[in-house]
Amino acid sequence: MSTDLHLSPQASLPDLASTPPASAPKLASKPSTSRRIRLEKNSATSRPANPTARGSVAIWLATLAWLSGAAITAFWPDADEWPHGDVLIGIQIAVALGCALLGAVALRRSRTNVVYQAGLEAPSRLTRWLGLGPWFVALAIGIAFWEIATAKLEWLPRPFFAPPQALIGVYLEDFPRLGSSIVHSLGLLIYGYVLGAATGFVVGVGIGWSRAVGYWLHPVLRLVGPLPATAWLPLAFFFFPSSFSASVFLIALATAFPVAVLTWSGVASVDSAYYDIARTLGAKPAFLIFKVAIPAALPLVFVGLFMGLGVSFSVLIVAEMMGVKAGLGWYLQWAQGWAAYSNMYAALLVMALMCSGLITLLFRFRDRLLVWQKGTLKW
């Protein structure tokens, strides 16, 4: 016995008015007040911190540190009489006022609610100065400790160690002799460095490009290059007519080796596809050297120039100590002979600043010439 179930047409059809289709979008309900507050807190915490507000704290600490150092210098009596203490106090107060001014500008900038989006805007000059706040603090503490250990308590014995005001006295009283030494060293360094860099560059390009040139120069480079330039001092002062020309030769020799090796490596490592494409377009050998090989090798060439500058500076000091009658090396030897250790420390500080400044200038030149590599290597 079978029963048939009969449905009416009205029952079999879906009720379109009451049942929405599955693909119909659902309207988002308005978030509640508590959920909206949580979202605002999360967005506030995920916002990058303003470096202006963060760096102003360190710069105000630097202001306090420099003022404290000035107070130590002024009100703590010296164990022995040291001149130019008032100049040191003036410098410390001036640096403190500069830090305070920088902090006031940063505070005003932070109160204007300037939005800083990390990664989208380059740091401003103010932000870069504020980033040096911890270094200002460390420098103030270091000078204060130096003052205490030498002038106030004499933990470091005289005359081998001198307080900061003794170096200030050297710069004020012995500047003519020190200034002439700086000028002489700069001239000698520029002569030797430029000559050695040019020679090393030409040798490196020749070895990297031509097998015939490499056949003759590569063994000479392997034999002479690793020898310290100072080992050639006796021969240089014997064969050259003056100590100045001998020093130029030694500086050039020290510079040429790293420049030649790294230029050779840069030219030899250029992708052969560059040459093939240029030859397909009808390029001649001169075009391949000056427009393909050398531009592609420039990053390594500058590495060799940086290395050569550091080595040449050390050879400069040794050469001036041995035979030159002027320069920073001669000044160091003269100060040591007269036990003028304040003069020696003042010359060492000048040498450090001069070498760092020259390397900074070379980096600026590199960033301007190699724009596509700007920022990859910083100094």
Side-chain angles (χ1 to χ4, degrees):
M1 180 177 177
S2 63
T3 60
D4 294 334
L5 182 61
H6 297 284
L7 297 176
S8 63
Q10 290 80 4
S12 62
L13 294 176
D15 191 357
L16 297 178
S18 60
T19 307
S23 61
K26 294 182 180 180
L27 297 176
S29 60
K30 186 177 181 180
S32 61
T33 305
S34 60
R35 184 181 179 186
R36 188 165 58 250
I37 293 175
R38 288 196 301 268
L39 291 175
E40 291 176 356
K41 288 183 178 180
N42 292 334
S43 63
T45 56
S46 61
R47 184 181 302 169
N50 192 342
T52 303
R54 185 174 60 246
S56 60
V57 177
I59 214 68
W60 284 112
L61 289 176
T63 303
L64 181 61
W66 282 100
L67 289 177
S68 302
I72 291 174
T73 306
F75 300 110
W76 192 336
D78 295 341
D80 198 356
E81 184 178 356
W82 291 99
H84 305 292
D86 53 345
V87 181
L88 177 60
I89 295 172
I91 293 174
Q92 290 173 321
I93 293 177
V95 177
L97 291 177
C99 292
L101 180 61
L102 189 61
V105 174
L107 183 61
R108 182 179 179 183
R109 183 70 61 87
S110 63
R111 285 181 176 178
T112 57
N113 295 325
V114 177
V115 179
Y116 178 87
Q117 297 179 355
L120 298 180
E121 297 182 4
S124 63
R125 184 175 298 180
L126 175 62
T127 305
R128 290 194 291 267
W129 276 103
L130 291 177
L132 297 176
W135 277 105
F136 281 116
V137 176
L139 185 61
I141 295 175
I143 292 178
F145 180 78
W146 180 13
E147 176 73 12
I148 293 172
T150 52
K152 306 303 181 183
L153 300 179
E154 290 190 348
W155 288 342
L156 302 176
R158 297 181 62 181
F160 304 103
F161 299 95
Q165 52 263 41
L167 273 68
I168 296 175
V170 172
Y171 296 132
L172 293 178
E173 299 172 359
D174 201 32
F175 184 76
R177 184 186 290 112
L178 183 59
S180 63
S181 298
I182 294 172
V183 173
H184 189 277
S185 294
L186 276 176
L188 185 58
L189 181 66
I190 291 173
Y191 271 114
Y193 180 74
V194 172
L195 181 61
T199 304
F201 180 76
V202 173
V203 170
V205 172
I207 295 176
W209 178 261
S210 173
R211 292 185 178 179
V213 175
Y215 176 81
W216 292 104
L217 292 185
H218 186 200
V220 178
L221 189 66
R222 293 181 61 181
L223 180 65
V224 177
L227 289 176
T230 53
W232 298 89
L233 272 171
L235 293 177
F237 283 104
F238 177 78
F239 284 107
F240 285 90
S242 64
S243 58
F244 183 84
S245 57
S247 301
V248 169
F249 166 74
L250 293 174
I251 295 171
L253 184 63
T255 306
F257 177 65
V259 175
V261 170
L262 286 164
T263 303
W264 164 31
S265 177
V267 173
S269 61
V270 177
D271 194 351
S272 60
Y274 297 160
Y275 299 128
D276 296 337
I277 294 173
R279 290 191 184 98
T280 303
L281 298 176
K284 296 181 179 180
F287 183 90
L288 295 178
I289 295 174
F290 292 102
K291 298 296 183 179
V292 179
I294 292 178
L298 280 180
L300 285 179
V301 172
F302 273 96
V303 175
L305 290 174
F306 292 133
M307 296 176 61
L309 183 58
V311 176
S312 64
F313 201 80
S314 61
V315 175
L316 165 73
I317 302 303
V318 174
E320 288 179 339
M321 285 182 173
M322 295 300 295
V324 179
K325 300 302 180 182
L328 289 174
W330 170 85
Y331 189 89
L332 282 175
Q333 192 176 27
W334 168 83
Q336 185 180 5
W338 287 95
Y341 292 98
S342 301
N343 299 66
M344 187 179 68
Y345 294 139
L348 288 174
L349 181 59
V350 169
M351 288 164 52
L353 294 177
M354 188 173 74
C355 186
S356 178
L358 291 175
I359 294 178
T360 302
L361 290 177
L362 188 57
F363 261 93
R364 295 290 179 86
F365 178 68
R366 171 191 176 275
D367 291 340
R368 186 175 294 271
L369 187 62
L370 305 180
V371 182
W372 69 90
Q373 284 202 338
K374 185 176 181 180
T376 57
L377 187 62
K378 297 182 179 181
W379 172 255

